[in-house]
Every structure is written in structure tokens, then in C-alpha cells.
Amino acid sequence: MPILPVVLWTDLLLFALIGVAIAAAFYVRGQPHLLAGWRGVAAGGAAMSALTVLTAFVAVGVLDSIHFRAELGGSKGGEHRYAVEVTSLFDVMVSGLRARTEKTYSAPLSAQLFSRESVERADGTQSREFPRLRHGGAHLKDPQSEAGADFAGRVLRGSALALVLWLAVGGFLAAALARRHGVTASEVWRDIWRGDTSVAWRAMLVSAGLLLAVACPVSMLAEAWHVFGTDKVGQDVLYQTLKSIRTALVIGTLTTLVTLPIAVGLGILAGYFGGWVDDVIQYIYTTLNSIPGVLLIAASVLMMQVVIDTHPDWFATSAERADARLLALCLILGVTSWTGLCRLLRGETLKLRELDYVLAARAFGVSQARIMARHILPNLMHIVLISVVMDFSGLVLAEAVLSYVGVGVDPSTISFGTMINSARMELSREPMVWWSLLAAFVFMFLLVLSANLFADAVRDAFDPRMQSLVRPRRAPRPAGAA
């Protein structure tokens, strides 16, 4: 079926950021001091477990960032006609969750609506009953008696699939390491499970096994049931939580594209030159810090929304309009959140400019720009790296708070914040609808916890003050080494 590729601004920037990360990985391979730090990160079990979970989230976000418009039924005059709705590759993969909508609320793994309705019986009388769902449990004649056996069968099939996939991943990893080190696969397996490897493969395999043990049974159940129930308009809550991952990743990563140039540039200039340059930059970020952050962001978002509403001809589809607001939110968060990193870099630059090699470069007549680029900036990268990784979780939570108060992403954009905002009213009804809030909380908690654990490992590996506090470890061997 012909499709029309659609490249949103956030898609383009997200893939550009992934490309930069890949290029940085190749650069690190040629820098021994950076490579040593990342080897310390790779040796930590908690860090690699967190990285495994983050990789799963990133995979969902990347698949949800490949957008296109499907072709409509026929062509007119040889010209293809495409749907107005923008679809992603992830939507195609979970088309069952996306298409199976109900009338209104339904509880997790339920075959009935959550509220009673008037139902007309065959004899013409009416009664208040819980109507059957159109899709959830529709394959069963009597869900009350058959649901337990159906749940058990699907969970067993999903667990078997998870075991097969986990063994395949482990076998591929063992074969690759055995070929690399010239040993047998059994020796590699022995070293992995003893934890006697330079990379924490055991922690990664355990984390991957736990992810598969949850994801595969849930996917089997989701083929015929609403695992996390449905919301007010009958949309599957599991689908909404998975779609919220991309929004969280975009907010957490693209904001750094705005924050880093401002913070790094102004921080180095203030610390290196001092004088009136330092006074001006300090005045700017002190003034920004004196304004309440939520009010500043809310005012900026509302002004940007006015611009978007007054220029509807700029956007061909509603997805492009929502994406423009998401990109504007990233820009606003970046412009208002650079002050902390700038202050840290200024203080570190004040110390670095008095070191001997910087003074020697000045004495030899090296230009100021070259000194900042070759001697100051490389020695600040550990602070930049630590700050970027640790700020990710804060930005994810900031989006949830802003969407909760109504100044976050576009209402048509699915995010953790919009789910929590809609759940606010659902908690006050009787009976209470709790599953939307629980699903959003669980997924956001896993994402933020994984990011924080990985950030702690990066800080311990690259912060010189932390390295003196870390107890020396026994040097592990490469997998399969004698």
C-alpha cells in the first residue's frame, strides 16, 4: 500500500540526536580517558540493568517517531489521495490495541462495562446490567466461568515465548563473545553467570528476562482483553501509556539541544573572561531564577499557543499542529532551565583558567577562542554529561506537572501528564476509575527510576570527587578469558 512519509520536527531532531549519540560513541572509542569512564559504567550491574530498561523505552519511542499518511481507497485522475490522519510505525504494530475501542470505561481484564446501563431483555422488560464489551473477552461465551482458564492459557503461552526469546538472546550473546575472544560458548556462559566479565552481562540478561517475562504475557492478554482497562471514550489505556513514552523521551532529550549551547557558551564566557562579561551573565541568570519557573513557562506556552492558533495555514494536519506545540514546549523548557548548568560551568571555569597549562597557552600567544575550545571545554564535559543525564528525569516530571495544570502538550497529544490530568476527574467519581492513573504512574516511575540509576553510575564514573569515595573493585576479566 503506497504511503506518504511525514517528517515532523520532533522526529527530525530526535533522529539527529540519536545520530550524534552514535558519533559520540565512536569518538569515545578513540579517547582512552573517556573510554575508561564508560567501562566503569558498563561494569556496574545497576547501571546496565537501567540501560536495558531505557533501551526498551527508546525502542518504543523510535518506532513511534516514524510517521506516514496511508493512501485512501482510490486515486482520482492518477493522483493519489492520502488520509489526513498521521500514523506511526508503532501504531501499525499495535493496530489491535488502537482499533479495539469500547463505549466507555471498563476495568482491567474485564468483559463488561464499568457502569450499569439500561438493557432491554427479550421479553420487552428493561433492567440495569453491566453490558458486554464489544472486544474485551468477546471470544468467550461465558466470561465469568471461562476467563480464568483463558488468562492462564495466555499467560503460559506468553511465558513460553519469553523463555524462547530470552534463550535466543543469551545464545546469540554467548556466541558473539565466544567468537570475539576465541573460546567456547560454555566458557562464556560460565563467566557471565559468575559475574566475572568486564561488562555486566549477567545484570543485562536478568533485566531482559524480566522485561520479556512481563511483556510477552501482557501482549498475549492484550490480543483479546484490555489489560489496563479503557478510558472515558473507550480507548485502551495500555495503548495510551505506550504512546506516552515518545512524548516523555522528546521532552527529556530535545530540551537539552536548547539548554546545552546556552549553558556551555555563557558559563565558559563568564568564568574565563570575568569582569563585566561575568556581571552581565550573572545578572541574566539571576533574573531568570527570580521568576517562578511554572509561571514563566505557562506564560511562554500560552503566547506560543496564540501564535499557533492565529496561523492555522502553517500546518497541513492536526499532528503537525500538535507537534509544533510539543517542540515549542521543548524550546521553552530549554530556555528556562539552563541557569543551573551555567552556574556550575562558570565556577569550574574560574578554577581551570588559573591552571598552569592555561597560563602557559596564554604566554605562548594562543588565542582566547582556541584556549576555551581546546583546554577549557574538554575539562568541563564530565559536568555537562552528568547534568544532561540527571536532568532527563526532571524534564519528564516537568512535562507531567505542566500538562496536569493545562499548559503542557497539546490535548490531542498522548502523554503521562494528560493521562494524569484526565485521571484527576476520574478519581472523584463513584465508583472510582483508578487504572489510568496507575498505568501512567507505573510506566513513568520505571522510566524515571531507570534514568536516575543510570545517571548515578555516570556521575560516579566521571565526577572526580566521587571517584575518591568509591571503593576499588577487583578488575574483572573479559567474558571467556582464561
Side-chain angles (χ1 to χ4, degrees), residues 37-353:
W38 283 111
R39 283 175 175 169
V41 175
M48 300 312 290
S49 297
L51 182 61
T52 304
V53 177
L54 286 176
T55 302
F57 279 106
V58 171
V60 174
V62 170
L63 292 175
D64 202 16
S65 298
I66 304 175
H67 292 98
F68 61 90
R69 292 166 60 184
E71 185 185 21
L72 296 177
S75 59
K76 185 177 180 181
E79 182 180 356
H80 294 282
R81 295 184 301 171
Y82 298 95
V84 178
E85 183 183 12
V86 177
T87 310
S88 69
L89 181 59
F90 179 76
D91 291 332
V92 176
M93 297 176 62
V94 294
S95 57
L97 292 177
R98 184 167 178 262
R100 292 188 295 109
T101 59
E102 306 294 347
K103 184 178 181 180
T104 183
Y105 295 114
S106 66
L109 298 175
S110 175
Q112 300 173 333
L113 290 178
F114 192 61
S115 301
R116 295 179 184 270
E117 293 184 358
S118 298
V119 178
E120 184 175 356
R121 296 181 176 180
D123 56 359
T125 61
Q126 291 187 348
S127 63
R128 299 283 294 177
E129 299 178 359
F130 295 101
R132 285 285 303 270
L133 299 178
R134 292 194 295 263
H135 303 285
H139 61 293
L140 302 179
K141 293 183 179 181
D142 185 10
Q144 292 185 352
S145 60
E146 300 176 5
D150 187 69
F151 291 160
R154 292 179 181 275
V155 170
L156 288 177
R157 291 197 299 270
S159 301
L161 177 61
L163 180 60
V164 171
L165 293 177
W166 184 80
L167 290 176
V169 171
F172 178 79
L173 175 63
L177 292 176
R179 183 177 180 181
R180 179 180 179 182
H181 297 287
V183 295
T184 62
S186 60
E187 293 176 329
V188 172
W189 271 112
R190 182 191 60 203
D191 290 343
I192 287 176
W193 292 114
R194 287 178 178 176
D196 198 11
T197 56
S198 57
V199 179
W201 295 116
R202 181 177 61 181
M204 296 184 69
L205 286 176
V206 171
S207 301
L210 293 176
L211 285 176
L212 291 174
V214 174
C216 291
V218 167
S219 64
M220 289 292 179
L221 290 171
E223 293 178 355
W225 300 88
H226 299 291
V227 180
F228 288 152
T230 56
D231 62 356
K232 186 176 181 179
V233 297
Q235 194 172 32
D236 194 278
V237 174
L238 177 59
Y239 171 75
Q240 291 182 334
T241 53
L242 294 175
K243 290 286 288 185
S244 300
I245 294 174
R246 178 186 180 271
T247 305
L249 292 177
V250 168
I251 293 290
T253 55
L254 296 190
T255 304
T256 59
L257 294 179
V258 183
T259 303
L260 288 184
I262 302 175
V264 174
L266 295 182
I268 293 178
L269 290 177
Y272 184 78
F273 289 105
W276 67 269
V277 177
D278 188 18
D279 294 338
V280 170
I281 294 175
Q282 284 193 74
Y283 179 79
I284 293 174
Y285 67 64
T286 303
T287 303
L288 280 177
N289 284 336
S290 65
I291 304 174
V294 175
L295 295 181
L296 181 61
I297 294 172
S300 303
V301 170
L302 292 176
M303 287 190 297
M304 185 60 66
Q305 186 61 37
V306 171
V307 175
I308 294 175
D309 292 339
T310 54
H311 298 84
D313 54 310
W314 289 358
F315 314 104
T317 61
S318 60
E320 295 180 4
R321 181 178 180 274
D323 184 74
R325 178 162 174 173
L326 178 60
L327 181 60
L329 181 61
C330 294
L331 295 175
I332 293 167
L333 286 174
V335 171
T336 57
S337 61
W338 58 270
T339 56
L341 178 59
C342 180
R343 185 185 295 109
L344 290 175
L345 296 181
R346 171 188 171 273
E348 189 70 13
T349 305
L350 287 173
K351 181 184 71 175
L352 292 176
R353 72 175 186 177

